[in-house]
Amino acid sequence: TGKLAYDQVPLVEIDGLNLVQVQPTAGYLAQRYGLCPSDAAKAYEAKAIWASADDARGPMLSFPFHGDLEKTREDLAGPQALLGRYATRWQATLERSGGPYLLGAEPSMADVGVWEALDFYRDIFGHAAFAAAFAGFPKMLAHYEQVLSLGRLREWRDTGRAAVFLPDWAVYAEAVRATLYS
Amino acid sequence: MENVEAASPSKKQRMEHEAPVSPSKSQKTEHKATADESQKTHPKLKLYYFNIPGKGEPIRLACAYGGVELDDFRMHANEFHDLKVSGKLAFGQVPALSVNDDQMIFQSAAIMRYVGKLTGLYPTNDDLLAAKIDMIVDSENDMFTGLAVSRYRGRFGFGFLTEDHVATVRKSLNDEILPEHLRNVEKLLEESTSGWVAGTANPSIADFILVPRLLWLVEADTNHGISDSLLEGYPRICALIKQLLALPAVVAFYEKHAKLHLPAHLK
């Protein structure tokens, strides 16, 4: 259909546009829905934190394909990873901004990106392990709950996505392999 | 040369050693008079492991090969967490095998020896052959120690390793250490007329442990720094892999469960 500019997904069809490439797509949606500050410096900060969540998420993206929980937990605990680096920096950002959001009083795409990284962890390891892993980052756990209260995010997490996502990681990985590699 | 001959038993000797691993036909008839009866002679087995091949796959394949029913419980992270906090895991790890809903045994090699005795993959009355199989299983542990430490660093006290450290280790493993181990396995296979690694007439637990592990070693995007063509220089190892994967019970197992993603030269 020619909608995929670079033959890649994700694709978001919105406002007559076919948006590909995650970062600018997120930027467009954030602007559209009031999650991107109009001030350029603040917009930069929101996007930079979003991008850092992208880096933090790396080991979790490959988890479905190897299913190795211990390796994934190990990779996320490392000094350059989610727990060793990013959670510390994000918590410090929350302390500086005064919260409850990363940029301060108002939510932005930064909060969504960071929330998703934590939620991905929770999804893979379960709530008990998630709470234990982030016990050293109480502001991050509070932030997680704060963002969950936005819009329909709680409903999406608890029921909505189960209706549209594939039932488990192994099935998801097989579907990706079948689509992209066979 | 003398040492080599002494180490390599004559064919006649090998046949005598091989016989006990695969139950004699009369034993088989007695135990498997009816399908129901054969199930009754086996304890009730339940495997607790993740939904990955990993250390559980040899156990699954061994039971499939031996026709022993296995409740193959593949856990999600939540379920593993609950099992850990229950205190039931002697070493906090899986695979775990529950026997008759009564006892749990742990450590994949120990489980395989136990399951091997039920499935004809491990001798019950030949200590020397058992030792030969054990030495190969133990050597597999040696072969993969460095990789395990580089992969599960915190478990071994190496949580401080950076990505650069891991890359250095992986290069050493790929270029020097693993090839030396693989050469040793290739040599064992050269000495085997059956193509099974312990020189047995039929497969043993050593084959069922080695093959999935070697496939995992070279699986694409699994062990960074390890070449996915690492096994190509070892024709007898490749033949062993194909030989095991061609066993009817193994073929049937993979038709029922997740597909294998084999490198081209092993398909």
Side-chain angles (χ1 to χ4, degrees), chain A residues 62 65-71 73-80 122-129 168-170 174 177 181-182, chain B residues 50-52 75-78 80-81 84 93 151-155 158-164 216 219 221-222 224 258-259 261:
Chain A
S62 55
F65 300 93
H66 58 69
D68 190 329
L69 283 166
E70 187 183 0
K71 172 186 156 56
R73 190 172 52 244
E74 191 66 48
D75 290 346
L76 292 165
Q80 298 157 313
R122 183 182 180 274
D123 203 34
I124 289 173
F125 296 103
H127 186 81
D168 69 29
W169 294 112
E174 226 12 78
R177 285 195 187 101
Y181 303 120
S182 53
Chain B
F50 306 112
N51 188 16
I52 56 171
M75 300 183 292
H76 290 132
N78 275 337
F80 176 58
H81 178 87
K84 264 189 108 155
Q93 293 177 317
R151 191 176 170 91
Y152 308 118
R153 304 173 288 285
R155 199 209 297 175
F158 284 79
F160 61 87
L161 293 182
T162 63
E163 285 171 18
D164 284 346
W216 171 82
E219 194 179 315
D221 301 322
T222 295
H224 291 144
K259 282 168 65 174
H261 299 280

Side-chain angles (χ1 to χ4, degrees), chain B residues 59-233:
Chain B
I59 301 164
R60 296 170 182 137
L61 293 174
C63 289
Y65 175 84
V68 171
E69 198 177 319
L70 178 71
D71 180 356
D72 184 7
F73 178 41
R74 296 168 182 245
M75 300 183 292
H76 290 132
N78 275 337
E79 290 154 331
F80 176 58
H81 178 87
D82 290 346
L83 192 55
K84 264 189 108 155
V85 303
S86 76
K88 287 179 184 164
L89 303 178
F91 311 109
Q93 293 177 317
V94 286
L97 188 77
S98 143
V99 181
N100 290 331
D101 294 320
D102 178 44
Q103 263 192 291
M104 294 264 259
I105 54 174
F106 312 95
Q107 293 290 334
S108 57
I111 294 172
M112 279 301 279
R113 283 190 291 275
Y114 175 73
V115 168
K117 289 173 191 173
L118 300 175
T119 55
L121 290 168
Y122 191 76
T124 54
N125 54 5
D126 187 336
D127 291 345
L128 197 52
L129 179 58
K132 183 166 183 189
I133 293 169
D134 286 347
M135 78 186 193
I136 297 169
V137 171
D138 287 354
S139 76
E140 180 269 344
N141 199 37
D142 281 349
M143 191 190 315
F144 284 90
T145 295
L147 187 58
V149 172
S150 74
R151 191 176 170 91
Y152 308 118
R153 304 173 288 285
R155 199 209 297 175
F156 299 99
F158 284 79
F160 61 87
L161 293 182
T162 63
E163 285 171 18
D164 284 346
H165 289 141
V166 172
T168 304
V169 170
R170 295 285 168 91
K171 182 161 171 40
S172 182
L173 290 171
N174 187 75
D175 295 353
E176 293 144 23
I177 295 165
L178 287 167
E180 189 174 334
H181 284 281
L182 292 170
R183 275 194 294 275
N184 293 336
V185 176
E186 186 79 0
K187 184 160 178 289
L188 283 170
L189 288 165
E190 276 166 26
E191 292 162 6
S192 165
T193 53
S194 65
W196 300 116
V197 70
T200 49
N202 295 295
S204 73
I205 61 167
D207 305 290
F208 275 93
I209 287 170
L210 262 177
V211 169
R213 203 74 162 126
L214 290 170
L215 286 175
W216 171 82
L217 174 65
V218 297
E219 194 179 315
D221 301 322
T222 295
N223 290 299
H224 291 144
I226 306 299
S227 165
D228 44 16
S229 61
L230 185 65
L231 299 179
E232 275 184 37

Side-chain angles (χ1 to χ4, degrees), chain B residues 1-49:
Chain B
M1 291 306 288
E2 280 175 317
N3 285 344
V4 169
E5 279 168 12
S8 184
S10 67
K11 259 192 192 172
K12 180 175 187 300
Q13 279 176 289
R14 238 188 248 136
M15 294 306 285
E16 285 171 354
H17 283 160
E18 286 159 359
V21 176
S22 183
S24 69
K25 270 193 183 158
S26 65
Q27 278 177 289
K28 267 190 194 146
T29 312
E30 279 170 30
H31 282 158
K32 294 187 180 182
T34 64
D36 285 345
E37 214 174 311
S38 81
Q39 289 305 321
K40 280 178 194 165
T41 65
H42 290 134
K44 185 179 167 201
L45 303 180
K46 178 173 178 177
L47 175 67
Y48 293 77
Y49 195 62

